[in-house]
Amino acid sequence: MRKFFGTDGIRGLTNVAPMTAEVAMRVGMAAGAHFLRGTHKHRVVIGKDTRLSGYMIENALVAGFTSVGMDVVQVGPMPTPAVAMLVPSMRADLGVMISASHNPFADNGIKLFGPDGFKLSDADEAQIEARLAQEPALAEPAQIGRAKRIEDARGRYIHAVKQSLPQAVRLDGLKIVVDCANGAAYNSAPTVFWELGADVVAVGVTPNGLNINDQCGSTAPALLQETVVASGADIGIALDGDADRLIVVDEAGAIVDGDQIMALIGASWAREGRLKGGGVVATVMSNLGLERFLEGQGLRLERTKVGDRYVLERMREGGFNVGGEQSGHMILSDHATTGDGTLAALQVLAELVRSDRPASDLLHQFDPVPQLLKNVRFAGGKPLDDAQVQAAIAEGEAALAGRGRLVIRASGTEPVIRVMAEGDDAAQVETIVDRICDAVRVAAE
C-alpha cells in the first residue's frame, strides 16, 4: 500500500501531510537521488500552476533537489505538458509539476516526469517512495546544486504547440472563448489561439493564488457556456488548472466531453491515414456510445483503468497515437508525452475550419448511451469487500449483461467509491446505480 503516490503523483490539502513543505523537500531529495545516474551534471525542471501554496512547495523542492547535488531550472507558472516538453528539450534528468490539477486552490500536488518527458512508471514511483523512508545521501559541499529561473520557457511551449498544426491552417474568422481556469495556461493558451489568427475572448485569466478552478475551467463550465452564447462565439475552450485537460462548448452553449473529442480526432485522423494502432485508447469510464461509433468506423476502442498514465502506457505498448479520458485528458502522442488541453483544442479547431460546419454539428459524433455516475464518500475501511455490496454489484452486472456496462472503483485521490453504469435503458441504469450506492453507504457505516 502506497503512502504518498496516488493515481497521479502526490496530492492533498496543503500544510497537511503529505502535502507539506517538509515532505516536498524529502520528495526532492528522494527523486533527485533516484535519478542521479552517471557522472554528468544532473538537472531537474520545475513548473507550477497558480496556487498560493506553489511558492512554498517549489522552494522546498528546490532545497531537496539541490541538497543531493541536482541543479534546478525553475520555469514558473506553466501547463503540465509544457514541463513534460521541456525536460527532454533541456536534457534534464527529471521534471516536476506542482499542481493539484482541477482541485480547489487549497489542495496541491507533485507530478514527476522522467528524462523522456513521460510520467514515471509505477516501479519508479515505488522506488522513490521507498527512499522517502531512508536517510538521504547529501551531496558534498562543493557538489550542492544550483537553481536558476528561465524567463522564456512560455515562449518555447507556445512555439511547440503551434507546430502541431500544418502551416496552412489558420484560425482567421473564428471567434473563440477560452477559459483558463485562472490556472497555469492563463497566458499561453490565449496567445496560441491569437497568434494563429483567432478572435479570442479570454476568461479565467486573472489568477490571484486563490481563485484557480473557482467557478471556472473545465470542471465548472457555466461561465464558458454563458460567455460563448453572450459573445456569439463559434466555440468555447475550457482548460483545467494545469491545462492538461480540455472540455469544449459549442456555439449554442452545449458541453462536449472528452469522448466526443476523441471520436472526432480519431475518425478524422483515420480518414487522413494518420491514426496509428487501429483505434483509440480510453478508460473504463468512456461511454459505450464511443465504442460503438468507433466500431462503425472500422476502429476499436482499447480500455484501461482510470488515469491518463494508464492510457498512455497502453498507447505506447500498442502503438496508438490518440487516447484520452471522458473527463477531457487528451493524449496525442505524435505531438506530446502527456495530456495537453491546448494542443487537443487546436486539433478540434482545425477540423472546425476544414469542415465549415457549426461546432454543434461537427462535435456531435455519436449519441451517448445513458450513463450515470454517482460518488459515495466513506470514512474508512473497504466497503467494496462487503458481501452485500458485492451481491448488489453481481445483480447489476447480470441485469446489464450484453446491454451495458458497470464500473465500480475506489478513487485514487480521495475516500470515495465511484459507481458508474450505462445501458440503453436509462431508468434501469439509475435503479442499478442507486442500489449499489445504498449498499456501499450501509457497508461504510
Side-chain angles (χ1 to χ4, degrees):
M1 181 69 180
R2 293 189 181 190
K3 181 180 178 182
F4 295 100
F5 285 92
T7 54
D8 194 15
I10 302 170
R11 188 179 299 184
L13 182 65
T14 48
N15 273 346
V16 176
M19 199 42 55
T20 64
E22 178 187 6
V23 171
M25 184 173 71
R26 288 169 55 202
V27 169
M29 292 174 172
H34 181 67
F35 281 93
L36 287 175
R37 302 167 181 176
T39 58
H40 65 279
K41 188 61 178 173
H42 292 76
R43 176 183 294 170
V44 56
V45 175
I46 299 181
K48 60 182 179 179
D49 63 22
T50 57
R51 293 164 210 269
L52 178 62
S53 59
Y55 296 99
M56 176 184 78
I57 301 298
E58 180 183 30
N59 286 324
L61 283 166
V62 170
F65 281 116
T66 53
S67 74
V68 296
M70 194 171 259
D71 285 348
V72 178
V73 176
Q74 297 163 270
V75 298
M78 292 279 284
T80 288
V83 173
M85 178 209 79
L86 287 167
V87 171
S89 172
M90 301 193 69
R91 309 300 190 267
D93 302 274
L94 179 65
V96 181
M97 179 65 184
I98 305 167
S99 175
S101 190
H102 57 280
N103 287 28
F105 87 92
D107 292 341
N108 216 331
I110 298 171
K111 303 181 185 184
L112 301 175
F113 295 88
D116 55 1
F118 289 96
K119 287 182 179 178
L120 298 190
S121 66
D122 286 342
D124 275 321
E125 287 187 349
Q127 291 179 51
I128 291 171
E129 180 133 334
R131 286 180 180 271
L132 287 170
Q134 304 167 2
E135 281 297 314
L138 300 179
E140 294 295 325
Q143 302 304 315
I144 291 172
R146 302 171 185 267
K148 179 179 181 180
R149 190 173 297 276
I150 60 171
E151 305 298 334
D152 65 340
R154 185 181 296 134
R156 300 185 197 188
Y157 171 67
I158 289 170
H159 175 74
V161 169
K162 288 168 57 183
Q163 292 297 103
S164 68
L165 283 186
Q167 191 69 27
V169 177
R170 300 179 60 91
L171 304 183
D172 298 60
L174 275 187
K175 187 171 187 178
I176 301 168
V177 179
V178 56
D179 180 352
C180 299
N182 291 316
Y186 74 95
N187 183 288
S188 61
T191 302
V192 166
F193 302 133
W194 178 81
E195 288 188 2
L196 289 168
D199 178 6
V200 178
V201 178
V203 296
V205 290
T206 54
N208 62 14
L210 307 177
N211 60 0
I212 188 170
N213 301 314
D214 185 12
Q215 303 303 308
C216 58
S218 63
T219 51
L223 172 64
L224 180 64
Q225 293 172 285
E226 294 166 5
T227 309
V228 166
V229 173
S231 64
D234 297 295
I235 194 169
I237 304 297
L239 306 173
D240 66 338
D242 68 334
D244 65 353
R245 75 167 70 185
L246 162 73
I247 292 294
V248 173
V249 166
D250 68 24
E251 80 285 358
I255 296 171
V256 179
D257 68 13
D259 285 346
Q260 296 284 358
I261 297 169
M262 282 187 280
L264 172 68
I265 296 175
S268 63
W269 281 24
R271 289 192 298 270
E272 297 167 9
R274 297 169 57 194
L275 190 69
K276 300 173 185 174
V280 170
V281 181
T283 76
V284 293
M285 303 304 287
S286 277
N287 194 273
L288 187 58
L290 172 61
E291 190 170 337
R292 293 173 177 174
F293 168 80
L294 292 172
E295 288 173 352
Q297 303 284 315
L299 305 170
R300 71 182 190 274
L301 179 67
E302 291 264 336
R303 291 188 185 270
T304 73
K305 59 184 178 180
V306 173
D308 61 319
R309 60 184 296 180
Y310 302 114
V311 171
L312 182 58
E313 284 177 7
R314 181 67 193 114
M315 290 173 67
R316 298 178 78 181
E317 289 168 0
F320 297 87
N321 62 346
V322 176
E325 295 186 284
Q326 186 184 67
S327 60
H329 283 114
M330 295 293 121
I331 304 174
L332 307 176
S333 59
D334 287 354
H335 306 293
T337 57
T338 191
D340 190 328
T342 307
L343 191 150
L346 287 182
Q347 302 303 314
V348 173
L349 295 173
E351 286 300 310
L352 198 62
V353 170
R354 294 188 188 110
S355 70
D356 198 28
R357 294 157 59 191
S360 55
D361 181 26
L362 176 70
L363 293 167
H364 187 85
Q365 294 286 306
F366 63 89
D367 291 324
V369 170
Q371 184 185 80
L372 181 63
L373 169 65
K374 290 190 176 182
N375 297 325
V376 182
R377 190 168 291 274
F378 64 99
K382 296 181 178 180
L384 294 183
D385 292 344
D386 182 82
Q388 295 303 313
V389 173
Q390 292 180 0
I393 292 172
E395 182 181 326
E397 288 175 336
L400 290 171
R403 295 179 297 167
R405 297 188 310 124
L406 184 61
V407 179
I408 317 293
R409 69 182 188 90
S411 168
T413 57
E414 54 185 333
V416 165
I417 302 296
R418 306 196 192 282
V419 180
M420 188 277 279
E422 60 182 356
D424 295 316
D425 185 337
Q428 181 191 41
V429 165
E430 184 170 12
T431 298
I432 290 169
V433 168
D434 285 343
R435 283 177 180 168
I436 296 172
C437 287
D438 288 343
V440 170
R441 288 190 191 97
V442 171
E445 289 179 352

